[in-house]
Amino acid sequence: MQIGEAGRTPPDLRRRAAAALALAALLAALVVVIVHVLQNPGRVLIALALVVIAVIAGWTALVNRRGRRIAAAAAGILALAGIVVLLIGSVAELAVLIGLMVLSTVSARVALGRDLAPVRKGARSVGPSRHGVLLMNPWSGGGKVKQFALEDEAMRRGIRSVVLHHGDDLRSLAEQAVADGADVIGMAGGDGSQALVADVARQHDVGFVCVPAGTRNHFALDLGLDRDDVVAALDAYDAAVEWRVDLAMLGERVFVNNASLGVYATVVQSDAYRDAKLATTAQLLPELLGPNAQRFDLRFTGPDGADTRSADIVLVSNGVYRLDRLSGFGTRERLDAGVLGIVSMTVDRARDVPGLIAAEATGRIADFRGYKEWTAREFVVRSGDELVNVGVDGEALALPPPLVFRSLPGALRVRTPLHAPGASPAAVAAPGIWGATAALTRVLAGRPAGRPAPAEA
């Protein structure tokens, strides 16, 4: 059975009351802000200036060493202290404002439910799996498999569990599960493991279940799963929603999220990165982006058809990440558009730092002059280096060029529970503040807050 707009029902009294509360709290928050600005215009301007100084100082500290790093860090700390001092006179107002925004957000979630989630192309209702198998990585996510008793929970639902042991080959285990008759296979682990099992599901055209038992679970988030409710993901083996999503390939390797080259890919190559991410990044950034840093040899064709000979960061993603504004930042609105999302960034060490800081501080990174973003079905990166560092779904690799990326549209039959949130933050946040306000108004009037199906890619 296809799933569409018709499945959305008018809101009940509880949701209408929540919409009224969300709108009232939002209006009250705006009043608090306006009154504060009118009473203290000078203080607000100084606080904004100090925020900019703190961000610039922080960036300067990251890309320099020794004396410059110490001086920049001290300037940043002083700027932050100044912001705190300015806010002390209005702690009560700040607390009220935060409380109103939290109340408005929580109430809006209750009021809108899943109504703002986009209608998935080709989504359909499916029955329970006949022979479901769940592969589990017991070390992933700090031991979430044991923490949430996933083996017992799977057994209770009639799902066969396959737990990895040291020395096991995950692909071979997934292949064996399909050979033994599994009609749905799933993975409880991080995104690298998800990609490997998803590739097996793709090759045999069986249903796939993502169980967010990793550390970050970006794929699960963009599938519209609740990452905090690991056990609930097992309900996808029961009656569920199934639709086709894209995968991406680097050479013959499938990935579900993204592959990064340049700065980040080099940082994750460090042996110390997994145990001390922030410290390792702070140590390596001066070498990678500092005044004397050497350019990366990454050559590719840009969105205008011109050849690019260098970039500090290249990100190739399975679908398009929202990176141009803060709402839904770092998530994907769609996983079924059939394209790679490509982002490149080049930083001129001498003159681009202020512009980059301003773009980051305002959530408008796309306005930075060294930033480019486009889509393609296939993308090739060339290099004169023998090996190129690449971070693929968080895993550090070194691969010989050329690196050939391509999209696999609709390659994976993914299943999610009927009760899952249903959309990533980017998808839900797509209407913006005015669109959300309009949706709340419709709910308050007793009408569905729905949104149209996405346009075809």
Side-chain angles (χ1 to χ4, degrees):
M1 182 183 72
Q2 297 293 312
I3 298 174
E5 287 290 335
R8 290 174 176 158
T9 59
D12 56 20
L13 183 60
R14 180 181 68 92
R15 289 180 57 195
R16 293 176 68 181
L21 184 58
L23 290 170
L26 178 61
L27 179 61
L30 290 174
V31 170
V32 171
V33 171
I34 292 171
V35 169
H36 181 72
V37 170
L38 292 177
Q39 290 179 343
N40 307 281
R43 179 180 293 179
V44 172
L45 291 175
I46 294 173
L48 289 175
L50 288 174
V51 168
V52 174
I53 292 172
V55 175
I56 293 175
W59 174 269
T60 304
L62 281 175
V63 299
N64 286 279
R65 291 188 184 279
R66 300 186 179 90
R68 288 186 179 181
R69 171 173 282 188
I70 294 172
I77 292 171
L78 289 174
L80 292 173
I83 295 170
V84 172
V85 170
L86 285 172
L87 291 176
I88 285 177
S90 56
V91 170
E93 290 181 1
L94 183 63
V96 170
L97 179 61
I98 293 174
L100 288 171
M101 293 306 298
V102 170
L103 177 61
S104 181
T105 301
V106 172
S107 300
R109 287 183 179 274
V110 174
L112 298 177
R114 296 174 56 177
D115 282 4
L116 292 187
V119 177
R120 291 164 173 156
K121 182 175 59 179
R124 63 193 185 99
S125 298
V126 292
S129 62
R130 297 184 303 277
H131 183 189
V133 176
L134 177 64
L135 295 103
M136 305 179 187
N137 181 349
W139 309 288
S140 185
K144 286 185 179 179
V145 167
K146 182 177 181 180
Q147 178 185 348
F148 291 96
L150 288 183
E151 282 190 81
D152 294 337
E153 293 289 347
M155 182 182 301
R156 191 165 62 82
R157 291 167 168 80
I159 305 165
R160 184 167 73 86
S161 299
V162 178
V163 181
L164 270 70
H165 297 91
H166 290 293
D168 283 346
D169 182 278
L170 179 57
R171 179 178 288 275
S172 297
L173 293 175
E175 291 280 3
Q176 188 60 51
V178 175
D180 291 341
D183 62 328
V184 176
I185 59 174
M187 181 67 213
D191 287 326
S193 300
Q194 299 288 349
L196 195 153
V197 177
D199 188 28
V200 174
R202 168 188 73 90
Q203 292 177 345
H204 296 280
D205 196 31
V206 298
F208 174 76
V209 174
C210 173
V211 179
T215 302
R216 294 179 180 84
N217 305 301
H218 292 301
F219 189 49
L221 177 65
D222 290 339
L223 287 174
L225 297 174
D226 182 351
R227 296 180 297 175
D228 295 326
D229 196 347
V230 179
V231 174
L234 299 179
D235 292 342
Y237 285 92
D238 200 348
V241 177
E242 180 181 284
W243 80 105
R244 288 193 172 271
V245 302
D246 307 334
L247 295 173
M249 293 194 81
L250 167 53
E252 296 303 315
R253 182 189 184 97
V254 163
F255 60 94
V256 294
N257 293 329
N258 59 70
S260 59
L261 301 91
V263 171
Y264 176 73
T266 303
V267 170
V268 299
Q269 294 287 331
S270 171
D271 293 335
Y273 178 74
R274 288 195 177 274
D275 296 326
K277 292 181 173 58
L278 290 178
T280 305
T281 302
Q283 179 184 357
L284 294 178
L285 273 183
E287 300 174 8
L288 302 175
L289 287 179
N292 300 317
Q294 184 177 354
R295 289 289 184 186
F296 293 96
D297 184 5
L298 302 173
R299 311 169 196 171
F300 52 91
T301 301
D304 55 0
D307 288 337
T308 300
R309 301 196 62 81
S310 180
D312 294 303
I313 297 173
V314 177
L315 180 75
V316 184
S317 57
N318 175 35
V320 179
Y321 278 91
R322 171 170 294 172
L323 300 171
D324 61 340
R325 59 183 186 270
L326 294 178
S327 60
F329 182 88
T331 62
R332 292 161 285 185
E333 183 174 349
R334 296 183 59 184
L335 283 171
D336 60 359
V339 295
L340 300 171
I342 306 166
V343 168
S344 71
M345 185 180 296
T346 304
V347 181
D348 187 315
R349 274 62 165 164
R351 61 177 177 171
D352 278 349
V353 170
L356 178 59
I357 294 302
E360 286 183 323
T362 58
R364 302 296 300 180
I365 193 67
D367 294 337
F368 174 60
R369 76 180 189 91
Y371 177 94
K372 295 180 181 179
E373 180 179 359
W374 69 103
T375 62
R377 293 293 178 98
E378 186 172 298
F379 181 63
V380 180
V381 176
R382 302 171 296 279
S383 177
D385 297 333
E386 184 177 349
L387 294 174
V388 177
N389 290 332
V390 191
V392 183
D393 284 343
E395 182 178 353
L397 304 174
L399 303 175
L403 305 179
V404 180
F405 300 86
R406 58 192 175 97
S407 175
L408 301 177
L412 181 66
R413 289 169 46 201
V414 70
R415 294 168 61 111
T416 53
L418 296 174
H419 54 70
S424 73
V428 174
I433 184 63
W434 297 115
T437 301
L440 287 169
T441 303
R442 288 194 295 271
V443 171
L444 182 60
R447 293 182 287 125
R451 48 182 282 167
E456 296 293 330

